[in-house]
Structure formats: C-alpha cells, structure tokens
Amino acid sequence: MTEMFAPESFFDLEGFDHGRLFRGDEPVWTALDRLSGYLDSLFAKPWPLCGVSGAVERPLVIVDGALVDGAEVRTDGPKNSVQVFADGRRLEGAAVILPGAYLYDDRLILGPGTVVEPGALIKGPVVIG
C-alpha cells in the first residue's frame, strides 16, 4: 500500500475516540468495512438517548454520556452560541438537541459540544461530533 492512502494522510487520529476503525497498514477506505460492526458495538450497551425518538419538544442535554434533566439552554451566547447551565453553573462540553429537531431512531450518540439545530432530521445509527 502506498503511504498516500494511509489513514494518517487523511485524518489526524491523535486523541480521536474512534481511531480503532482505522488500521495504519490498510487503505483508509477499508474502515467502511468495519463501520456497521463498530456502530453495533457502541449501541450494545446503554446510551444516553436510548428510548428517545420523535419530535424534540424541549432541549435535550447530554453531559459526560448522560442525559441531564432540568438544564437551562441559552441560545444568546457569544455569536449566538448555545450555552447550557445547571445549578447556576455553565456546563462545558454539553451536547444539545434543540426543540424542533426530529429523531427518527434512538440510536444516536452525540460528542461533546455538538448542537443539533431545529429542523434537523437524524436517522440512526449515527455518531455525531
């Protein structure tokens, strides 16, 4: 295999949570052959949005792999950024699904800082962010 098809030629895998999909001795596209099994392994254990699907009517907030009830979501931060607060403190790295989004399937994992905007349709299984 030529080096130009190696995963490192396409991605910076340092600290990447899903780097095990790629193998340095194989062309980058061979990761696609492992994708289905990899996603199945992520959803073999409980995940934050297990059982949550349909129209999102209130903000859904995920912090450290858990759904947080009662968090306050503000969309008026710097440059209209989304900020999340709980118990008077800002929750850094919170993932947020804003009202108006639609979750077609509950097999959805959001990475830290991910924001799903109103009008988005998400079909799982999927990992975002």
Side-chain angles (χ1 to χ4, degrees):
M1 175 187 70
T2 64
E3 199 170 298
M4 68 186 234
F5 296 125
E8 295 79 24
S9 297
F10 292 86
F11 307 111
D12 178 6
L13 298 176
E14 184 72 29
F16 179 56
D17 290 342
H18 309 287
R20 69 178 190 243
L21 273 169
F22 300 95
R23 297 186 181 142
D25 60 338
E26 296 179 353
V28 67
W29 56 83
T30 62
L32 295 174
D33 296 333
R34 291 183 285 281
L35 188 56
S36 179
Y38 180 74
L39 286 172
D40 288 345
S41 74
L42 294 177
F43 296 105
K45 57 186 188 268
W47 62 95
L49 294 171
C50 183
V52 178
S53 62
V56 176
E57 297 178 4
R58 61 177 178 79
L60 299 175
V61 176
I62 301 166
V63 177
D64 295 329
L67 200 55
V68 177
D69 286 326
E72 177 189 359
V73 177
R74 299 180 193 163
T75 57
D76 58 354
K79 298 184 181 179
N80 293 320
S81 64
V82 174
Q83 297 179 335
V84 181
F85 296 85
D87 300 322
R89 64 181 177 83
R90 184 168 180 224
L91 300 178
E92 296 292 332
V96 180
I97 303 174
L98 294 171
Y102 190 89
L103 308 180
Y104 186 80
D105 186 327
D106 75 342
R107 294 174 298 163
L108 168 64
I109 295 175
L110 298 179
T114 301
V115 176
V116 176
E117 299 279 347
L121 167 66
I122 309 292
K123 287 179 79 172
V126 66
V127 177
I128 302 173

